[in-house]
Amino acid sequence: MKYQYLIRKADLWESGLRSATINSLSFELDKSTLATHRYNNFTIKIKCTNKEELTTNGGFENGLVQVYSSANEFMPNGWKEFNFNTPYNWDTTRNLIVEFCYSNNDSVVGTCSNVG
């Protein structure tokens, strides 16, 4: 399973991010569906982009840089922070594409660990 999200530069600036080096990412999980679920071969990848939106007919973006990986990632209730294995150097002038990828035998066929 693979998901890509666009995070706009303006939103990063509004939240106080001014540094070019990103060391972690946090988000709040939907407690009703994701809590305590295990994600196999979980990765996070990032890429700078001039795009203002992602479209479903354009396919997935390629060329993202892997910043985090875990063979087995467990998602708790509430906020989850991912401390990157490799910091990402954001150029501070463009938007970001963030990709989450995982493979689970019970719900997904295949793996995304080498995609993008």
Side-chain angles (χ1 to χ4, degrees), residues 19-43:
S19 173
T21 303
I22 302 173
N23 294 298
S24 66
L25 172 74
S26 299
F27 59 90
E28 188 173 13
L29 300 164
D30 180 346
K31 298 172 186 157
S32 64
T33 59
L34 297 174
T36 67
H37 190 77
R38 184 182 73 197
Y39 295 83
N40 299 323
N41 303 312
F42 184 85
T43 61

Side-chain angles (χ1 to χ4, degrees), residues 2-65:
K2 177 167 48 171
Y3 300 95
Q4 289 185 343
Y5 299 92
L6 181 75
I7 302 174
R8 291 182 176 80
K9 174 185 77 168
D11 294 331
L12 295 169
W13 279 73
E14 278 183 30
S15 66
L17 186 63
R18 301 284 195 274
S19 173
T21 303
I22 302 173
N23 294 298
S24 66
L25 172 74
S26 299
F27 59 90
E28 188 173 13
L29 300 164
D30 180 346
K31 298 172 186 157
S32 64
T33 59
L34 297 174
T36 67
H37 190 77
R38 184 182 73 197
Y39 295 83
N40 299 323
N41 303 312
F42 184 85
T43 61
I44 300 173
K45 297 179 183 181
I46 300 178
K47 171 184 166 178
C48 288
T49 185
N50 290 319
K51 289 189 174 194
E52 292 296 324
E53 65 180 48
L54 298 178
T55 61
T56 56
N57 61 355
F60 286 106
E61 287 287 315
N62 292 316
L64 286 81
V65 175

